[in-house]
Amino acid sequence: MENFLGLLSFGAEGWGDEIASGVVVTVSLALATLPFGLILGFFVALAKQSEEPSLRLAGNIYTTIFRGLPELMTLFLIYFGAQIGLRQFLIFIGIETAIEINSFLAGMLALGVVFSSYASEVFLSAFRAIPRGQYEGGYAVGLTYGLTMRKVVMPQLIRLALPGLSNLWLVLLKDTALVSTIALSDILRQTGIAARVTKQAFFFYGTAFILYLLLAILSGMVISRIERFGQKSEPAR
Amino acid sequence: MRISKRIALAAAAALAVAMGGAQAQDMMKLKIGTEGAYPPFNSLEADGSLVGFDIDIAKALCEEMKADCEFVTQDWDGIIPALQAGKFDAIIASMSITEERMEKVDFTNKYYNTPPALAAPKDTDIAGVTKEDLAGKAVGVQGSTTHSNYAEATYSDSDVKLYPTADEYKLDINSGRVDAVVDDVIVLQDWLATDDGACCKIVGTITPVVEIHGPGAGIAIRKGEDELREKFNAAIDAIRANGKYKEINDKYFDFDAYGS
Amino acid sequence: MTEMSVDQTAVERPPALPRRWTASRIWGSAAVAVWVLIGAGFVWYLASSWSLDFVEKYGPRYWSGLKVTVSLVLSSLAAGAVLSIPIALGRLSKNRYVGALAHAYIYTFRGTPLLAQVFLIYYGLGQFSNELRSIGLWGFFRDAWNCGFLAFTLNTAAYQAEILAGAIKSVPKGQWEGASALGLPRLFTFRKIIMPQALIVALRPYGNEIILMIKGSAIVAIITVYDLMGQARWVFSKTFDFQAYLWAAVFYLIVVEILRNVWAWIEARLTRHLIR
């Protein structure tokens, strides 16, 4: 037991500090991806419920691709493919510079597009749950499209989409584990290195397992607080 | 937005370089890619630092070239794409010089050359390293290496399993998932000397096949960067000549790893 | 209607208004144009690097990888379905402890990454090979495919149990009460009245779960299993040619799209009596 505590200690001997930094990477990656994915997802949802067929088509292609590809594949395609593509493009237009898509950015982009393609579905069903009368009411009292959207539709939309989105957050948190394969030092990679070096595979992978579980429990607590807050503004029935 | 900002930054950096040209020439900036999972050549310590023969050689070369070097760790199976993608400028990670790889990258001259070997548990019934000796056995190797190419080409009657890093086949020979492993003899010896490697012994060394194993381990750089390659070659010759190579060599091995 | 058609020759209709270039139409066309460009670039890239050599040399590998992916997913889905029934029943149980246990199981497996579960089972349990050998289980854990299968089964069982429990709960209580008023035994009620209704509710989430499993299965490539992703990695490691991954991506998309359409068809077929 003392032995295991020693393995988790901070400092040069133990792996505690490495694993802690892995937790920071995992959490910050998920947090950085969230707003990016939400905004992108919202716009894709707008496109998919638009009356303009070309916008709908573009939105549908987007979700078909990113919901159909394995997340690991999306990650590889962006990490290697986008980098090579960008380099070729820059050389083509004559800029000789090393713009780098590092693994954090690649992870954020990949997880963000996957998140947004699912989030767009959540937003879409939330949009559909808002009756037309709400828009018409907004226009009737003289609000512009933007104002109706912001002041009438959005508040309801967020509340309707919240359960679906919180589910996606948990999925996102787990999907971050995939970035360990593109050399980003997240929880799983750091525990994996520790496991291989110390040969205590069960202990360290078990640690990773528990850390993810703790993050999920923590998120669950935060989400239920947000949900309670959201319910407060619900009209009394 | 992000990209335009980066271009602006890059432009500013280019300007700075142009203005302080002389200074920049003295200290060439180089990013060195390595794996960090291949002791004793390159591996990670618990404090996150890189150690090993490759690392020491790289540092000596950088010193010789008056370059400011920074190490980047990268998983083995993505190390060549990452070089091509510009994530770093050179790979110093015990990469064997092979025809296959030379289609994608350029190599410097070798900086060491040691033979491969086969290791198995001490109570093994594997008597040799030929195809017949290993028929029906599970053989573990690191994927995308000359060793995996050799194992797949030679041990066609065996179940050849490819692992992302050397550490993983070590886990699996300890648990008994594989019956034997193939790797560089130095790597195996280094591992056998630890508690973890106490399970196993070297069954025999494998005679290198030039078409597969190539002339030794070199430094990989992007194609066409001849100037950098020549700098590396000159630096390798220089540390060979001035005794720096021998100093590092003797820290790790009791023979000359450079080979003949 | 008839009067209209009589007059139609006489009335000169104004021509339809030309579709205006609204902001959304411009954006939409631009977005479609971007997709077309990406698609064209993609096809151009694959076509330009197309070589019979590549297909001949590596085609069979992709095919065998596809078979491994499909067999792994199908068998773990089936085993997971069996395992999910007791867990779902536990979730619905009135016994607090049984309920908590089932909840803990579901929460644990849904709350942690599949990759971590796979590593824990493959490398983590590999550490105890001597113990496993002494109780005769090593033969199972020795094989990477089996470890992937076990991890996927445990994982999908948690998801399927949650789907099943939710679906059973969604059947109104009145259905149970009606059946018991008719004097039907509980098990019979469950099998013949509750389950058929629950399964229809569960149909869509089940379809999603299958797709999630196909995509999730790509991670077994990391523990030496040669599924589609594993073969793509292998080919990439030989050729360093990016099309190795692109082909696998195309195959995954095709499999998922086929499945999605087949599932939509099944769903439409099974729920046609619900359409009003």
Side-chain angles (χ1 to χ4, degrees):
Chain A
M1 193 60 216
E2 233 164 70
N3 210 343
F4 284 142
L5 281 182
L7 285 175
L8 279 185
S9 72
F10 285 64
E13 289 296 303
W15 292 87
D17 43 347
E18 278 77 23
I19 294 173
S21 78
V23 175
V24 173
V25 169
T26 292
V27 172
S28 49
L29 179 64
L31 286 178
T33 307
L34 185 66
F36 168 61
L38 277 179
I39 292 169
L40 203 57
F42 181 74
F43 281 111
V44 175
L46 271 186
K48 286 205 298 195
Q49 63 131 34
S50 154
E51 280 161 17
E52 170 61 39
S54 59
L55 263 181
R56 281 207 305 273
L57 178 67
N60 285 330
I61 295 176
Y62 183 87
T63 42
T64 305
I65 290 179
F66 292 115
R67 294 198 313 164
L69 280 180
E71 288 80 1
L72 191 60
M73 185 64 90
T74 310
L75 194 61
F76 273 45
L77 291 180
I78 289 179
Y79 185 59
F80 293 127
Q83 180 94 48
I84 295 171
L86 194 64
R87 195 180 161 79
Q88 299 289 351
F89 175 71
L90 286 177
I91 289 172
F92 179 71
I93 61 172
I95 299 176
E96 187 73 41
T97 174
I99 286 182
E100 162 164 331
I101 299 186
N102 63 23
S103 39
F104 191 89
L105 190 60
M108 202 181 116
L109 282 175
L111 294 176
V113 292
V114 174
F115 182 91
S116 64
S117 61
Y118 282 96
S120 73
E121 292 288 302
V122 172
F123 280 127
L124 199 60
S125 58
F127 265 124
R128 288 189 183 139
I130 297 172
R132 274 235 60 87
Q134 297 285 331
Y135 295 85
E136 284 158 4
Y139 300 146
V141 296
L143 298 180
T144 58
Y145 173 77
L147 265 180
T148 313
M149 214 54 182
R150 263 202 356 250
K151 298 280 178 191
V152 181
V153 177
M154 278 299 270
Q156 305 181 59
L157 188 77
I158 290 172
R159 205 176 60 232
L160 285 167
L162 204 57
L165 291 179
S166 47
N167 222 347
L168 287 181
W169 162 256
L170 293 176
V171 173
L172 172 66
L173 205 55
K174 291 187 290 172
D175 279 351
T176 57
L178 297 174
V179 299
S180 62
T181 57
I182 58 165
L184 189 56
S185 305
D186 74 326
I187 295 177
L188 199 57
R189 189 177 178 85
Q190 297 294 56
T191 49
I193 291 174
R196 296 196 304 250
V197 172
T198 61
K199 311 295 167 193
Q200 293 291 342
F202 189 80
F203 174 72
F204 278 110
Y205 284 128
T207 306
F209 194 83
I210 288 167
L211 283 174
Y212 280 110
L213 202 56
L214 286 178
L215 285 179
I217 291 171
L218 198 68
S219 314
M221 290 185 339
V222 174
I223 288 167
S224 67
R225 283 197 77 149
I226 297 175
E227 263 167 12
R228 242 177 294 147
F229 179 77
Q231 273 160 8
K232 262 199 264 173
S233 53
E234 215 161 314
R237 283 163 213 240
Chain B
M1 253 335 260
R2 183 179 301 277
I3 290 175
S4 63
K5 204 165 158 192
R6 279 178 171 236
I7 291 178
L9 278 176
L15 202 67
V17 168
M19 278 165 27
Q23 204 185 353
Q25 217 137 51
D26 283 342
M27 268 324 232
M28 172 170 61
K29 269 205 189 304
L30 271 183
K31 279 191 177 172
I32 309 283
T34 194
E35 187 198 6
Y38 200 58
F41 291 106
N42 60 74
S43 57
L44 281 168
E45 289 283 281
D47 63 2
S49 64
L50 279 161
V51 292
F53 180 77
D54 287 338
I55 308 302
D56 286 351
I57 289 284
K59 283 178 182 159
L61 293 175
C62 290
E63 199 184 343
E64 189 62 39
M65 290 156 52
K66 297 206 172 30
D68 183 9
C69 287
E70 181 193 336
F71 287 95
V72 181
T73 52
Q74 165 73 42
D75 285 356
W76 183 253
D77 53 7
I79 206 162
I80 286 189
L83 174 73
Q84 291 174 315
K87 287 186 202 290
F88 34 78
D89 307 302
I91 301 172
I92 305 185
S94 297
M95 184 174 274
S96 299
I97 304 163
T98 64
E99 291 291 325
E100 244 175 7
R101 288 179 180 141
M102 271 157 74
E103 284 176 16
K104 301 289 168 186
V105 293
D106 280 349
F107 278 101
T108 64
N109 300 333
K110 68 164 183 175
Y111 65 94
Y112 79 86
N113 186 19
T114 49
L118 186 120
K122 280 183 172 146
D123 57 356
T124 185
D125 56 352
I126 299 170
V129 298
T130 63
K131 177 181 171 184
E132 290 73 33
D133 290 319
L134 285 149
K137 305 281 185 191
V139 181
V141 281
Q142 185 177 6
S144 321
T145 61
T146 52
H147 308 298
S148 68
N149 290 348
Y150 179 81
E152 285 184 322
T154 313
Y155 305 134
S156 46
D157 294 336
S158 319
D159 176 17
V160 176
K161 284 173 175 277
L162 306 186
Y163 291 86
T165 72
D167 285 323
E168 274 139 353
Y169 72 62
K170 290 173 191 167
L171 282 175
D172 266 5
I173 195 170
N174 259 314
S175 64
R177 279 201 182 102
V178 294
D179 303 306
V181 296
V182 175
D183 212 328
D184 192 283
V185 67
I186 307 269
V187 172
L188 291 176
Q189 272 170 354
D190 183 72
W191 165 59
L192 295 178
T194 63
D195 288 347
D196 179 52
C199 63
C200 306
K201 61 170 187 190
I202 295 216
V203 176
T205 52
I206 295 165
T207 319
V209 182
V210 177
E211 297 87 67
I212 293 178
H213 292 104
I219 299 165
I221 52 177
R222 278 184 292 275
K223 276 206 159 296
E225 300 194 352
D226 294 342
E227 196 188 334
L228 183 62
R229 190 185 62 211
E230 288 320 312
K231 272 192 180 153
F232 268 120
N233 279 338
I236 293 172
D237 291 342
I239 62 167
R240 283 288 295 169
N242 69 12
K244 185 79 192 161
Y245 187 98
K246 189 170 167 15
E247 194 182 306
I248 296 168
N249 183 75
D250 294 350
K251 186 170 144 196
Y252 292 93
F253 318 121
D254 51 9
F255 60 94
D256 187 2
Y258 191 75
S260 48
Chain C
M1 276 307 275
T2 41
E3 288 141 289
M4 283 260 306
S5 58
V6 170
D7 290 343
Q8 204 157 43
T9 43
V11 176
E12 186 92 350
R13 284 197 172 189
L17 280 172
R19 274 187 70 212
R20 285 177 49 224
W21 281 93
T22 56
S24 62
R25 192 170 169 211
I26 294 171
W27 277 106
S29 308
V32 171
V34 168
W35 277 123
V36 169
L37 273 178
I38 292 177
F42 185 79
V43 171
W44 174 80
Y45 177 76
L46 283 186
S48 69
S49 53
W50 172 269
S51 74
L52 270 181
D53 209 32
F54 188 90
V55 178
E56 233 167 74
K57 225 166 149 184
Y58 303 118
R61 285 201 155 256
Y62 281 99
W63 177 237
S64 85
L66 195 60
K67 281 192 288 192
V68 170
T69 293
V70 169
S71 70
L72 182 62
V73 168
L74 284 185
S75 44
S76 37
L77 277 172
V82 173
L83 187 59
S84 73
I85 295 171
I87 300 168
L89 293 181
R91 185 96 170 83
L92 297 170
S93 157
K94 294 210 176 67
N95 184 320
R96 263 175 58 196
Y97 299 102
V98 175
L101 206 66
H103 187 161
Y105 177 89
I106 294 174
Y107 198 97
T108 309
F109 280 95
R110 296 197 344 150
T112 51
L114 185 54
L115 190 57
Q117 295 163 16
V118 168
F119 279 160
L120 193 63
I121 288 177
Y122 186 74
Y123 288 118
L125 291 184
Q127 198 185 327
F128 303 111
S129 60
N130 285 327
E131 289 81 350
L132 287 169
R133 212 170 268 136
S134 65
I135 52 172
L137 282 177
W138 181 242
F140 180 85
F141 286 103
R142 188 167 193 249
D143 189 55
W145 193 94
N146 288 342
C147 290
F149 166 76
L150 180 65
F152 287 178
T153 301
L154 293 176
N155 183 274
T156 190
Y159 280 88
Q160 290 189 33
E162 190 69 6
I163 293 170
L164 197 58
I168 292 173
K169 263 196 272 186
S170 77
V171 178
K173 234 184 145 72
Q175 299 283 330
W176 284 101
E177 287 161 0
S180 77
L182 289 173
L184 298 176
R186 272 185 74 82
L187 193 65
F188 184 85
T189 312
F190 183 71
R191 263 180 42 224
K192 294 284 173 185
I193 297 173
I194 306 300
M195 272 314 256
Q197 301 183 64
L199 284 181
I200 283 189
V201 175
L203 215 51
R204 182 164 285 240
Y206 266 135
N208 288 339
E209 173 60 13
I210 297 175
I211 290 175
L212 282 181
M213 281 302 285
I214 290 182
K215 302 194 319 172
S217 73
I219 62 173
V220 287
I222 299 168
I223 57 162
T224 76
V225 176
Y226 288 108
D227 69 330
L228 188 50
M229 185 77 181
Q231 295 290 10
R233 279 169 76 115
W234 188 90
V235 173
F236 185 66
S237 77
K238 291 284 154 187
T239 59
F240 301 112
D241 192 342
F242 200 63
Q243 61 168 320
Y245 283 123
L246 291 181
W247 280 116
V250 170
F251 293 138
Y252 273 114
L253 272 184
I254 291 174
V255 170
V256 168
E257 273 310 291
I258 290 176
L259 199 84
R260 224 159 53 105
N261 286 306
V262 167
W263 204 264
W265 180 81
I266 294 176
E267 202 182 333
R269 181 115 191 118
L270 288 181
T271 55
R272 72 202 136 140
H273 61 282
L274 295 175
I275 294 164
R276 289 164 215 233

